[in-house]
Amino acid sequence: MDVRVGDVLEMKKAHPCGSKTWKVMRIGMDFRMICTGCGHELMIPRGKIEKNIRKILRDGAPV
């Protein structure tokens, strides 16, 4: 998948705060992301993220 730092990912499942969108801060074997709803920051393995992405938003437009 072509995911870049700064992209906003819309996931299949919502975060407990209700937001489904996450901003990508770092890419490697793990993704470091920040929830756009509450600001919670976490690192998740690449395989788990790529499986759960519904949409990639780059500069406010879907890719």
Side-chain angles (χ1 to χ4, degrees):
M1 296 198 107
D2 183 31
V3 179
R4 301 177 189 165
V5 173
D7 286 353
V8 175
L9 306 177
E10 183 179 319
M11 307 305 278
K12 290 180 182 175
K13 291 186 177 180
H15 188 247
C17 74
S19 175
K20 286 188 173 188
T21 56
W22 295 81
K23 183 172 182 179
V24 178
M25 301 306 290
R26 177 180 156 312
I27 297 176
M29 287 299 292
D30 296 325
F31 278 45
R32 189 175 89 199
M33 304 190 314
I34 295 178
C35 177
T36 59
C38 65
H40 183 78
E41 191 172 319
L42 71 149
M43 291 186 74
I44 302 179
R46 177 182 284 270
K48 193 169 184 180
I49 291 296
E50 289 181 347
K51 181 178 87 171
N52 291 313
I53 293 175
R54 178 163 291 172
K55 202 184 308 180
I56 300 172
L57 304 171
R58 193 168 291 146
D59 299 327
V63 174

